[in-house]
Amino acid sequence: MSKQTRGKVYRIILAGSGRVARHHVQAISYQEKQGRARLVAVCGPDQAGAETLLQKHYKGKRSRVAYYPDLTAALAQEEADLVAIATPSGTHKDLGLEALGAGCHIFVEKPLAMTYEDGLTLAEAAAAAGKKLALGHKYRYLPCMADLASDIQAGKFGQVYYGSVILRWGHNQAYYDRAPWVGTRAADGGVIMNQSVHAFDLLRWLMGLENQPLLATRGFASTQSHVMESEDLSLGVFSFAGDRYISYEGTTSSQPDRQQVELFICCAQADIRAGILGKKPHLSIRSQGKEQRRPYLRRYFSQLVCQEGFKGLQVVKNPHVAIYTDLLAAIAEDRQPLASSPAGLSSLEMVEALYRAAGIIA
């Protein structure tokens, strides 16, 4: 994240008012306090949900944030620079194209779209319009990840051999029963599309494989413990150029009170482990018989406090703060955000490859 000076205040429309939208409102509120942005409207069919969200975070200032039933109405009435799309995954492409057509930059929650083809359409539209596209691949914005990716890709730890990810992100049946679209193939997907896409993005990026061809995929998928259209278990192995591999296990059938994601990268000169267990992140970098984690943590927090002040520590609680900070800086500096189109497309490529290997799509 680069230090931003006071300047343009970016006007934001938030599409959606559900579970993820609250993270957006918290992050936008932080940007408002920093003088960088202002939430001008929230839109979507759930007016009660939108009102609850706004009352909670804006209280006496609720009247300065408008509500509209859909994005079309919001764009017709409000001047906006950025549209944040926190709606069901199956709506991302169409809403993104509409926002780009209105001259706005876009922040799209993961996944970029429900198919690689639709994701490519959206990425190409953003490029053609000269607008920034940021993605909600929040794992990239966790402490130390950017510095670690840079060092791995620069060869600091020698050749990268393989990586593995275990994602046990348990959900009960109520999670899938909360709305008709949840867990469907057309609008949401299962553990591969909905939960694992974060890990696919982070691991492929850390290993320097984002722009490397995916050569082959083997995998399985099943629906074991939930009543839903999509899968709640998946297993896979991905092979890339240069004799590099990623192994994968993902499930939402594990215990919901102990959600876990664990990543491992084997390099010639280091074993790297990172993950989250019960909302607590951890990082281990073992190289040449020594633990190398502390220098990364010192560098990360020193940079964060220098750039954002102690209020910037909110990033650790809500990575969306860092995504917005990076996106607004990217707009001002005319560069690409840390998580942009290549992130969305490379992770979607892995999702579709695993679906094909499992026989879910042709």
Short mmCIF file of all heavy atoms in Angstrom, two decimals, residues 243-297:
data_model
loop_
_atom_site.label_atom_id
_atom_site.label_comp_id
_atom_site.label_asym_id
_atom_site.label_seq_id
_atom_site.Cartn_x
_atom_site.Cartn_y
_atom_site.Cartn_z
N ASP A 243 7.77 -28.39 -13.85
CA ASP A 243 7.69 -29.50 -12.89
C ASP A 243 7.24 -29.01 -11.51
O ASP A 243 7.78 -29.40 -10.47
CB ASP A 243 9.05 -30.19 -12.79
CG ASP A 243 8.96 -31.57 -12.12
OD1 ASP A 243 7.90 -32.21 -12.24
OD2 ASP A 243 9.94 -31.98 -11.49
N ARG A 244 6.21 -28.14 -11.49
CA ARG A 244 5.67 -27.62 -10.24
C ARG A 244 4.21 -28.05 -10.08
O ARG A 244 3.49 -28.16 -11.07
CB ARG A 244 5.80 -26.09 -10.20
CG ARG A 244 7.25 -25.63 -10.04
CD ARG A 244 7.41 -24.15 -10.18
NE ARG A 244 7.18 -23.71 -11.56
CZ ARG A 244 7.30 -22.44 -11.96
NH1 ARG A 244 7.60 -21.50 -11.08
NH2 ARG A 244 7.09 -22.12 -13.22
N TYR A 245 3.80 -28.25 -8.84
CA TYR A 245 2.50 -28.86 -8.56
C TYR A 245 1.81 -28.19 -7.38
O TYR A 245 2.45 -27.61 -6.51
CB TYR A 245 2.66 -30.35 -8.26
CG TYR A 245 3.36 -31.13 -9.34
CD1 TYR A 245 4.76 -31.20 -9.35
CD2 TYR A 245 2.65 -31.73 -10.36
CE1 TYR A 245 5.42 -31.89 -10.36
CE2 TYR A 245 3.30 -32.42 -11.37
CZ TYR A 245 4.68 -32.50 -11.38
OH TYR A 245 5.33 -33.16 -12.38
N ILE A 246 0.48 -28.30 -7.37
CA ILE A 246 -0.33 -27.88 -6.23
C ILE A 246 -1.29 -29.02 -5.90
O ILE A 246 -2.00 -29.52 -6.78
CB ILE A 246 -1.14 -26.60 -6.54
CG1 ILE A 246 -0.20 -25.39 -6.64
CG2 ILE A 246 -2.20 -26.36 -5.47
CD1 ILE A 246 -0.91 -24.10 -7.03
N SER A 247 -1.29 -29.45 -4.63
CA SER A 247 -2.27 -30.43 -4.17
C SER A 247 -3.31 -29.71 -3.33
O SER A 247 -3.01 -28.69 -2.69
CB SER A 247 -1.61 -31.54 -3.37
OG SER A 247 -1.10 -31.03 -2.15
N TYR A 248 -4.52 -30.26 -3.30
CA TYR A 248 -5.64 -29.51 -2.71
C TYR A 248 -6.67 -30.44 -2.07
O TYR A 248 -7.00 -31.50 -2.61
CB TYR A 248 -6.30 -28.68 -3.81
CG TYR A 248 -7.73 -28.30 -3.55
CD1 TYR A 248 -8.06 -27.30 -2.63
CD2 TYR A 248 -8.78 -28.93 -4.22
CE1 TYR A 248 -9.37 -26.94 -2.39
CE2 TYR A 248 -10.10 -28.58 -4.00
CZ TYR A 248 -10.39 -27.59 -3.08
OH TYR A 248 -11.70 -27.24 -2.83
N GLU A 249 -7.16 -30.04 -0.91
CA GLU A 249 -8.31 -30.66 -0.24
C GLU A 249 -9.23 -29.54 0.23
O GLU A 249 -8.77 -28.58 0.87
CB GLU A 249 -7.87 -31.47 0.97
CG GLU A 249 -9.03 -31.93 1.86
CD GLU A 249 -8.59 -32.31 3.26
OE1 GLU A 249 -7.45 -32.80 3.42
OE2 GLU A 249 -9.38 -32.10 4.20
N GLY A 250 -10.51 -29.62 -0.10
CA GLY A 250 -11.45 -28.60 0.35
C GLY A 250 -12.77 -29.22 0.78
O GLY A 250 -13.29 -30.11 0.11
N THR A 251 -13.30 -28.75 1.91
CA THR A 251 -14.59 -29.26 2.38
C THR A 251 -15.30 -28.20 3.21
O THR A 251 -14.66 -27.35 3.84
CB THR A 251 -14.42 -30.53 3.23
OG1 THR A 251 -15.70 -31.04 3.59
CG2 THR A 251 -13.63 -30.25 4.49
N THR A 252 -16.62 -28.24 3.19
CA THR A 252 -17.43 -27.45 4.13
C THR A 252 -18.18 -28.37 5.09
O THR A 252 -19.09 -27.95 5.80
CB THR A 252 -18.44 -26.55 3.39
OG1 THR A 252 -19.27 -27.37 2.55
CG2 THR A 252 -17.74 -25.49 2.56
N SER A 253 -17.78 -29.65 5.14
CA SER A 253 -18.42 -30.62 6.03
C SER A 253 -17.74 -30.69 7.40
O SER A 253 -18.26 -31.35 8.30
CB SER A 253 -18.41 -32.01 5.39
OG SER A 253 -19.20 -32.02 4.21
N SER A 254 -16.62 -30.04 7.55
CA SER A 254 -15.91 -30.04 8.84
C SER A 254 -16.66 -29.18 9.85
O SER A 254 -17.65 -28.53 9.53
CB SER A 254 -14.48 -29.52 8.64
OG SER A 254 -14.50 -28.24 8.04
N GLN A 255 -16.17 -29.15 11.07
CA GLN A 255 -16.87 -28.45 12.15
C GLN A 255 -16.84 -26.93 11.94
O GLN A 255 -15.77 -26.34 11.78
CB GLN A 255 -16.23 -28.79 13.50
CG GLN A 255 -16.43 -30.24 13.90
CD GLN A 255 -17.90 -30.58 14.02
OE1 GLN A 255 -18.63 -29.97 14.80
NE2 GLN A 255 -18.35 -31.57 13.25
N PRO A 256 -18.00 -26.27 11.94
CA PRO A 256 -18.06 -24.82 11.67
C PRO A 256 -17.33 -23.97 12.70
O PRO A 256 -16.93 -22.84 12.40
CB PRO A 256 -19.56 -24.53 11.70
CG PRO A 256 -20.22 -25.83 11.39
CD PRO A 256 -19.35 -26.86 12.02
N ASP A 257 -17.14 -24.48 13.92
CA ASP A 257 -16.49 -23.68 14.96
C ASP A 257 -14.96 -23.79 14.91
O ASP A 257 -14.26 -23.22 15.76
CB ASP A 257 -16.98 -24.09 16.35
CG ASP A 257 -16.64 -25.52 16.71
OD1 ASP A 257 -16.23 -26.29 15.81
OD2 ASP A 257 -16.80 -25.88 17.89
N ARG A 258 -14.44 -24.49 13.91
CA ARG A 258 -12.99 -24.63 13.79
C ARG A 258 -12.58 -24.53 12.31
O ARG A 258 -11.95 -25.43 11.75
CB ARG A 258 -12.53 -25.96 14.40
CG ARG A 258 -11.03 -26.04 14.64
CD ARG A 258 -10.67 -27.29 15.40
NE ARG A 258 -9.24 -27.51 15.50
CZ ARG A 258 -8.43 -26.91 16.38
NH1 ARG A 258 -8.94 -26.04 17.23
NH2 ARG A 258 -7.14 -27.18 16.41
N GLN A 259 -12.98 -23.45 11.68
CA GLN A 259 -12.65 -23.26 10.27
C GLN A 259 -11.15 -23.07 10.10
O GLN A 259 -10.50 -22.39 10.89
CB GLN A 259 -13.43 -22.06 9.72
CG GLN A 259 -14.93 -22.32 9.65
CD GLN A 259 -15.71 -21.11 9.20
OE1 GLN A 259 -15.33 -19.98 9.45
NE2 GLN A 259 -16.85 -21.33 8.55
N GLN A 260 -10.63 -23.66 9.03
CA GLN A 260 -9.18 -23.73 8.88
C GLN A 260 -8.78 -23.70 7.41
O GLN A 260 -9.42 -24.33 6.57
CB GLN A 260 -8.68 -25.03 9.51
CG GLN A 260 -7.22 -25.34 9.29
CD GLN A 260 -6.85 -26.73 9.77
OE1 GLN A 260 -7.71 -27.60 9.91
NE2 GLN A 260 -5.57 -26.95 10.01
N VAL A 261 -7.72 -22.97 7.11
CA VAL A 261 -7.06 -23.08 5.81
C VAL A 261 -5.56 -23.11 6.06
O VAL A 261 -5.04 -22.31 6.84
CB VAL A 261 -7.45 -21.92 4.85
CG1 VAL A 261 -7.11 -20.56 5.44
CG2 VAL A 261 -6.77 -22.09 3.50
N GLU A 262 -4.88 -24.08 5.48
CA GLU A 262 -3.44 -24.26 5.67
C GLU A 262 -2.75 -24.35 4.32
O GLU A 262 -3.12 -25.17 3.47
CB GLU A 262 -3.16 -25.54 6.47
CG GLU A 262 -3.68 -25.54 7.88
CD GLU A 262 -2.95 -24.56 8.78
OE1 GLU A 262 -1.75 -24.29 8.52
OE2 GLU A 262 -3.56 -24.05 9.74
N LEU A 263 -1.74 -23.50 4.11
CA LEU A 263 -0.95 -23.51 2.89
C LEU A 263 0.49 -23.91 3.22
O LEU A 263 1.04 -23.51 4.25
CB LEU A 263 -0.93 -22.13 2.23
CG LEU A 263 -2.14 -21.73 1.37
CD1 LEU A 263 -3.34 -21.42 2.26
CD2 LEU A 263 -1.81 -20.51 0.53
N PHE A 264 1.09 -24.68 2.33
CA PHE A 264 2.49 -25.08 2.47
C PHE A 264 3.17 -24.92 1.12
O PHE A 264 2.62 -25.33 0.09
CB PHE A 264 2.60 -26.52 2.94
CG PHE A 264 4.01 -27.06 2.93
CD1 PHE A 264 4.91 -26.66 3.90
CD2 PHE A 264 4.43 -27.92 1.93
CE1 PHE A 264 6.22 -27.14 3.89
CE2 PHE A 264 5.73 -28.41 1.91
CZ PHE A 264 6.63 -28.02 2.89
N ILE A 265 4.35 -24.32 1.11
CA ILE A 265 5.15 -24.18 -0.11
C ILE A 265 6.53 -24.74 0.17
O ILE A 265 7.21 -24.31 1.11
CB ILE A 265 5.26 -22.71 -0.57
CG1 ILE A 265 3.87 -22.12 -0.84
CG2 ILE A 265 6.12 -22.61 -1.83
CD1 ILE A 265 3.89 -20.63 -1.15
N CYS A 266 6.92 -25.71 -0.63
CA CYS A 266 8.24 -26.32 -0.50
C CYS A 266 9.18 -25.70 -1.53
O CYS A 266 8.95 -25.81 -2.75
CB CYS A 266 8.15 -27.83 -0.73
SG CYS A 266 9.73 -28.69 -0.57
N CYS A 267 10.20 -25.02 -1.04
CA CYS A 267 11.23 -24.43 -1.90
C CYS A 267 12.56 -25.14 -1.64
O CYS A 267 12.73 -25.84 -0.64
CB CYS A 267 11.38 -22.94 -1.62
SG CYS A 267 9.90 -21.96 -1.83
N ALA A 268 13.52 -24.93 -2.51
CA ALA A 268 14.82 -25.58 -2.35
C ALA A 268 15.49 -25.20 -1.04
O ALA A 268 16.21 -26.01 -0.44
CB ALA A 268 15.72 -25.22 -3.54
N GLN A 269 15.26 -23.97 -0.57
CA GLN A 269 15.95 -23.49 0.62
C GLN A 269 15.01 -23.07 1.75
O GLN A 269 15.44 -22.42 2.71
CB GLN A 269 16.85 -22.31 0.24
CG GLN A 269 17.92 -22.66 -0.78
CD GLN A 269 18.62 -21.43 -1.32
OE1 GLN A 269 18.58 -20.36 -0.73
NE2 GLN A 269 19.25 -21.59 -2.49
N ALA A 270 13.72 -23.42 1.65
CA ALA A 270 12.79 -23.03 2.72
C ALA A 270 11.52 -23.84 2.67
O ALA A 270 11.07 -24.28 1.61
CB ALA A 270 12.45 -21.54 2.61
N ASP A 271 10.95 -24.06 3.85
CA ASP A 271 9.59 -24.55 3.99
C ASP A 271 8.74 -23.38 4.49
O ASP A 271 9.06 -22.77 5.52
CB ASP A 271 9.51 -25.69 5.01
CG ASP A 271 10.08 -26.99 4.47
OD1 ASP A 271 10.37 -27.06 3.26
OD2 ASP A 271 10.25 -27.93 5.28
N ILE A 272 7.67 -23.08 3.77
CA ILE A 272 6.82 -21.93 4.11
C ILE A 272 5.42 -22.42 4.43
O ILE A 272 4.81 -23.14 3.63
CB ILE A 272 6.78 -20.92 2.95
CG1 ILE A 272 8.20 -20.43 2.64
CG2 ILE A 272 5.86 -19.74 3.27
CD1 ILE A 272 8.33 -19.68 1.34
N ARG A 273 4.93 -22.05 5.61
CA ARG A 273 3.59 -22.41 6.03
C ARG A 273 2.82 -21.15 6.42
O ARG A 273 3.36 -20.27 7.09
CB ARG A 273 3.63 -23.37 7.22
CG ARG A 273 4.22 -24.74 6.91
CD ARG A 273 4.34 -25.59 8.16
NE ARG A 273 4.73 -26.96 7.84
CZ ARG A 273 5.99 -27.35 7.67
NH1 ARG A 273 6.98 -26.47 7.78
NH2 ARG A 273 6.26 -28.61 7.38
N ALA A 274 1.57 -21.10 5.99
CA ALA A 274 0.71 -19.97 6.36
C ALA A 274 -0.71 -20.48 6.45
O ALA A 274 -1.08 -21.45 5.79
CB ALA A 274 0.81 -18.85 5.33
N GLY A 275 -1.52 -19.81 7.26
CA GLY A 275 -2.89 -20.27 7.36
C GLY A 275 -3.70 -19.50 8.37
O GLY A 275 -3.24 -18.53 8.98
N ILE A 276 -4.93 -19.96 8.52
CA ILE A 276 -5.87 -19.40 9.48
C ILE A 276 -6.54 -20.56 10.20
O ILE A 276 -7.00 -21.51 9.57
CB ILE A 276 -6.94 -18.53 8.79
CG1 ILE A 276 -6.31 -17.37 8.03
CG2 ILE A 276 -7.95 -18.00 9.81
CD1 ILE A 276 -7.28 -16.62 7.16
N LEU A 277 -6.60 -20.50 11.51
CA LEU A 277 -7.30 -21.49 12.30
C LEU A 277 -8.14 -20.77 13.34
O LEU A 277 -7.59 -20.06 14.20
CB LEU A 277 -6.31 -22.45 12.99
CG LEU A 277 -6.92 -23.50 13.92
CD1 LEU A 277 -7.88 -24.41 13.15
CD2 LEU A 277 -5.84 -24.33 14.59
N GLY A 278 -9.45 -20.92 13.22
CA GLY A 278 -10.33 -20.24 14.16
C GLY A 278 -10.16 -18.73 14.15
O GLY A 278 -10.12 -18.11 15.21
N LYS A 279 -10.01 -18.15 12.96
CA LYS A 279 -9.85 -16.71 12.75
C LYS A 279 -8.48 -16.16 13.14
O LYS A 279 -8.23 -14.96 13.04
CB LYS A 279 -10.94 -15.92 13.49
CG LYS A 279 -12.36 -16.22 13.02
CD LYS A 279 -13.38 -15.35 13.72
CE LYS A 279 -14.78 -15.68 13.22
NZ LYS A 279 -15.81 -14.84 13.89
N LYS A 280 -7.56 -17.03 13.57
CA LYS A 280 -6.23 -16.59 13.95
C LYS A 280 -5.23 -16.95 12.84
O LYS A 280 -5.01 -18.12 12.56
CB LYS A 280 -5.81 -17.24 15.26
CG LYS A 280 -6.64 -16.81 16.47
CD LYS A 280 -6.14 -17.45 17.74
CE LYS A 280 -6.95 -17.00 18.95
NZ LYS A 280 -6.48 -17.62 20.22
N PRO A 281 -4.62 -15.93 12.20
CA PRO A 281 -3.64 -16.22 11.14
C PRO A 281 -2.29 -16.61 11.73
O PRO A 281 -1.95 -16.25 12.86
CB PRO A 281 -3.54 -14.88 10.40
CG PRO A 281 -3.87 -13.85 11.42
CD PRO A 281 -4.86 -14.49 12.35
N HIS A 282 -1.53 -17.39 10.99
CA HIS A 282 -0.18 -17.75 11.41
C HIS A 282 0.72 -17.87 10.19
O HIS A 282 0.26 -18.05 9.06
CB HIS A 282 -0.17 -19.05 12.22
CG HIS A 282 -0.64 -20.25 11.45
ND1 HIS A 282 0.17 -20.99 10.64
CD2 HIS A 282 -1.86 -20.83 11.38
CE1 HIS A 282 -0.51 -21.98 10.09
NE2 HIS A 282 -1.76 -21.91 10.52
N LEU A 283 2.02 -17.70 10.42
CA LEU A 283 3.00 -17.74 9.33
C LEU A 283 4.30 -18.33 9.87
O LEU A 283 4.76 -17.95 10.96
CB LEU A 283 3.25 -16.33 8.80
CG LEU A 283 4.38 -16.15 7.77
CD1 LEU A 283 4.04 -16.88 6.47
CD2 LEU A 283 4.64 -14.67 7.50
N SER A 284 4.90 -19.26 9.12
CA SER A 284 6.18 -19.83 9.47
C SER A 284 7.03 -19.93 8.21
O SER A 284 6.58 -20.46 7.19
CB SER A 284 6.03 -21.22 10.10
OG SER A 284 7.29 -21.84 10.28
N ILE A 285 8.27 -19.40 8.29
CA ILE A 285 9.20 -19.47 7.17
C ILE A 285 10.49 -20.07 7.72
O ILE A 285 11.25 -19.40 8.42
CB ILE A 285 9.47 -18.10 6.56
CG1 ILE A 285 8.16 -17.42 6.15
CG2 ILE A 285 10.40 -18.22 5.35
CD1 ILE A 285 8.30 -15.95 5.82
N ARG A 286 10.73 -21.34 7.44
CA ARG A 286 11.90 -22.05 7.98
C ARG A 286 12.93 -22.17 6.88
O ARG A 286 12.72 -22.85 5.87
CB ARG A 286 11.48 -23.43 8.47
CG ARG A 286 12.54 -24.12 9.33
CD ARG A 286 12.61 -23.49 10.69
NE ARG A 286 13.63 -24.13 11.52
CZ ARG A 286 13.96 -23.68 12.73
NH1 ARG A 286 13.34 -22.62 13.24
NH2 ARG A 286 14.89 -24.29 13.43
N SER A 287 14.06 -21.48 7.05
CA SER A 287 15.09 -21.47 6.02
C SER A 287 16.47 -21.58 6.66
O SER A 287 16.77 -20.84 7.63
CB SER A 287 15.01 -20.17 5.20
OG SER A 287 16.04 -20.12 4.22
N GLN A 288 17.29 -22.51 6.16
CA GLN A 288 18.65 -22.69 6.65
C GLN A 288 18.69 -22.89 8.17
O GLN A 288 19.54 -22.34 8.88
CB GLN A 288 19.54 -21.52 6.23
CG GLN A 288 19.63 -21.38 4.72
CD GLN A 288 20.45 -20.17 4.27
OE1 GLN A 288 20.71 -19.27 5.06
NE2 GLN A 288 20.85 -20.17 3.01
N GLY A 289 17.73 -23.63 8.67
CA GLY A 289 17.68 -23.97 10.08
C GLY A 289 17.19 -22.87 10.99
O GLY A 289 17.21 -23.02 12.21
N LYS A 290 16.71 -21.77 10.42
CA LYS A 290 16.24 -20.64 11.23
C LYS A 290 14.84 -20.22 10.82
O LYS A 290 14.45 -20.37 9.67
CB LYS A 290 17.20 -19.45 11.08
CG LYS A 290 18.60 -19.71 11.58
CD LYS A 290 19.47 -18.47 11.41
CE LYS A 290 20.90 -18.74 11.91
NZ LYS A 290 21.76 -17.53 11.73
N GLU A 291 14.13 -19.66 11.79
CA GLU A 291 12.80 -19.12 11.53
C GLU A 291 12.95 -17.69 11.01
O GLU A 291 13.60 -16.85 11.65
CB GLU A 291 11.97 -19.13 12.82
CG GLU A 291 10.55 -18.61 12.64
CD GLU A 291 9.71 -19.44 11.69
OE1 GLU A 291 9.82 -20.69 11.73
OE2 GLU A 291 8.96 -18.83 10.91
N GLN A 292 12.36 -17.42 9.84
CA GLN A 292 12.53 -16.13 9.17
C GLN A 292 11.29 -15.25 9.24
O GLN A 292 11.19 -14.26 8.52
CB GLN A 292 12.88 -16.38 7.70
CG GLN A 292 14.07 -17.26 7.47
CD GLN A 292 15.37 -16.56 7.84
OE1 GLN A 292 15.46 -15.34 7.82
NE2 GLN A 292 16.38 -17.35 8.21
N ARG A 293 10.34 -15.56 10.10
CA ARG A 293 9.06 -14.84 10.11
C ARG A 293 9.18 -13.42 10.64
O ARG A 293 8.57 -12.49 10.11
CB ARG A 293 8.05 -15.62 10.95
CG ARG A 293 6.70 -14.94 11.10
CD ARG A 293 5.81 -15.69 12.05
NE ARG A 293 6.39 -15.74 13.39
CZ ARG A 293 5.75 -16.22 14.46
NH1 ARG A 293 4.53 -16.69 14.33
NH2 ARG A 293 6.33 -16.22 15.64
N ARG A 294 9.96 -13.22 11.69
CA ARG A 294 9.95 -11.94 12.37
C ARG A 294 10.33 -10.75 11.49
O ARG A 294 9.72 -9.69 11.59
CB ARG A 294 10.85 -12.01 13.61
CG ARG A 294 10.25 -12.87 14.73
CD ARG A 294 11.12 -12.86 15.97
NE ARG A 294 10.53 -13.66 17.04
CZ ARG A 294 11.09 -13.87 18.21
NH1 ARG A 294 12.28 -13.31 18.48
NH2 ARG A 294 10.49 -14.61 19.12
N PRO A 295 11.35 -10.86 10.64
CA PRO A 295 11.66 -9.72 9.77
C PRO A 295 10.49 -9.30 8.88
O PRO A 295 10.29 -8.11 8.63
CB PRO A 295 12.85 -10.21 8.94
CG PRO A 295 13.49 -11.26 9.79
CD PRO A 295 12.36 -11.93 10.49
N TYR A 296 9.71 -10.29 8.42
CA TYR A 296 8.54 -9.97 7.59
C TYR A 296 7.48 -9.23 8.40
O TYR A 296 6.88 -8.26 7.93
CB TYR A 296 7.95 -11.25 7.00
CG TYR A 296 8.74 -11.80 5.84
CD1 TYR A 296 9.74 -12.74 6.04
CD2 TYR A 296 8.50 -11.36 4.54
CE1 TYR A 296 10.49 -13.23 4.99
CE2 TYR A 296 9.24 -11.85 3.47
CZ TYR A 296 10.24 -12.79 3.70
OH TYR A 296 10.97 -13.25 2.66
N LEU A 297 7.24 -9.68 9.62
CA LEU A 297 6.25 -9.02 10.47
C LEU A 297 6.67 -7.60 10.82
O LEU A 297 5.86 -6.67 10.77
CB LEU A 297 6.02 -9.84 11.74
CG LEU A 297 5.30 -11.18 11.56
CD1 LEU A 297 5.36 -11.98 12.85
CD2 LEU A 297 3.87 -10.97 11.13
#
